[in-house]
Amino acid sequence: MARIIAITNQKGGVGKTTTAINLAAALAASDLKVLIIDADPQGNTTSGLGIEKTDGMPTLYDVLVHARSASDAVRSTEMDGLEILPADKNLIGVNVDLVSKEDRESHLRHGLEALGKEYQFILIDCPPALDLLTLNALVAADSILIPIQCEFFALEGVSGLMDTIDRVRDSFGHSLQIEGILLTMYDDRTNLTKQVAADLREFFGDEVFRTVIPRSIRLAEAPSHGKPILLYDPGSKGSEAYIQLAKEILTNEQKRFAKSAR
């Protein structure tokens, strides 16, 4: 079954979509079949992978609200092995359309059940809010990856997210794991970045990935061309960083598997 990772932080501008796109591409480059789910009504992951939003195109909204088969909405991308379940502006209606529905927090989990054997990894790009969309993602996920920008207010909002994770665990009997804390927009030329990174590693310990994502103009440019950084500029520092992150995640997965097999 696929490992489902929700990429979330209620604070915006921390690199969630950049991480979702480029981590998914790096995993696909490791000869794995990967699905990325755009769960943000802005649809930036969808456009960032070159998928044109057209009228009548089935999206995550149709899966969550109209119980449409997720496989009907999946689209191929330019990257071999990487597919996407797209989003458009209609997705913002989910928070209203699902609020009175039975089992409203589990619609995404049910929608993905039929896809679990088709992929090795499913990544969910969450909106920057602790709303019903994000709650659906957390209930569907095996683990959560939290991008944090190396800035003064880096820990702002993370405590609220941790409280939400605990509530999901308690309310749904769901053993949601922390995949890792990812330091993004990292600039080792500044003392502030180094201090924030040190504070985060002291606070979260081994939950912080060893890999850091550098501040990079090329990473920022790639989505406007509808490509992950591995296709836009494969030799860049940003590309190398996401390849290392994918390797770190795969190594951690092997360790979990070996531990569970004992």
Side-chain angles (χ1 to χ4, degrees):
M1 296 294 289
R3 182 165 184 82
I4 304 176
I5 302 174
I7 301 173
T8 186
N9 186 330
Q10 71 182 67
K11 185 173 174 57
V14 298
K16 289 187 300 296
T17 298
T18 298
T19 294
I21 290 172
N22 293 300
L23 174 57
L27 289 168
S30 300
D31 293 327
L32 299 171
K33 191 168 183 185
V34 182
L35 174 67
I36 185 168
I37 297 174
D38 192 349
D40 189 337
Q42 295 181 78
N44 290 337
T45 298
T46 300
S47 57
L49 281 171
I51 305 300
E52 185 180 354
K53 303 165 192 174
T54 58
D55 291 340
M57 179 182 76
T59 67
L60 181 60
Y61 177 82
D62 300 292
V63 175
L64 293 176
V65 176
H66 301 306
R68 184 153 184 172
S69 170
S71 59
D72 288 345
V74 168
R75 293 290 178 269
S76 298
T77 72
E78 189 177 342
M79 186 86 191
D80 289 341
L82 176 58
E83 297 180 335
I84 183 170
L85 204 170
D88 62 13
K89 61 185 179 182
N90 292 323
L91 193 59
I92 199 169
V94 164
N95 289 301
V96 174
D97 294 334
L98 288 188
V99 71
S100 61
K101 297 285 184 73
E102 184 178 352
D103 203 20
R104 62 186 182 182
E105 303 91 352
S106 302
H107 281 230
L108 180 56
R109 178 167 60 84
H110 297 320
L112 295 180
E113 285 173 351
L115 295 180
K117 294 181 180 179
E118 295 185 29
Y119 303 93
Q120 279 81 46
F121 282 90
I122 297 176
L123 306 185
I124 308 173
D125 181 24
C126 299
L130 295 177
D131 58 8
L132 195 49
L133 274 170
T134 298
L135 187 55
N136 264 266
L138 297 183
V139 171
D142 299 306
S143 62
I144 179 172
L145 189 157
I146 307 171
I148 298 181
Q149 184 178 354
C150 292
E151 62 174 13
F152 183 72
F153 294 110
L155 289 173
E156 187 178 278
V158 177
S159 59
L161 179 57
M162 293 300 182
D163 289 341
T164 300
I165 292 170
D166 288 338
R167 288 199 298 272
V168 169
R169 288 168 174 164
D170 294 340
S171 300
F172 299 95
H174 181 26
S175 57
L176 184 62
Q177 301 173 346
I178 303 297
E179 189 71 32
I181 311 292
L182 178 66
L183 306 183
T184 62
M185 304 178 197
Y186 191 91
D187 185 352
D188 61 6
R189 297 172 298 177
T190 69
N191 290 330
L192 177 61
T193 292
K194 294 176 182 177
Q195 184 59 55
V196 169
D199 291 345
L200 289 169
R201 292 188 187 281
E202 181 179 358
F203 188 83
F204 289 108
D206 291 340
E207 290 182 337
V208 180
F209 287 112
R210 294 187 304 275
T211 304
V212 299
I213 307 302
R215 186 176 293 276
S216 166
I217 293 175
R218 302 298 277 173
L219 274 175
E221 289 175 347
S224 66
H225 296 268
K227 298 176 183 289
I229 191 66
L230 269 75
L231 295 182
Y232 180 65
D233 190 352
S236 66
K237 290 184 178 180
S239 180
E240 293 172 2
Y242 278 108
I243 290 171
Q244 288 303 315
L245 177 62
K247 289 180 179 178
E248 190 170 349
I249 286 175
L250 291 173
T251 297
N252 292 342
E253 180 76 352
Q254 290 171 351
K255 290 178 180 177
R256 276 190 295 266
F257 181 77
K259 187 176 180 179
S260 64
R262 291 174 186 169

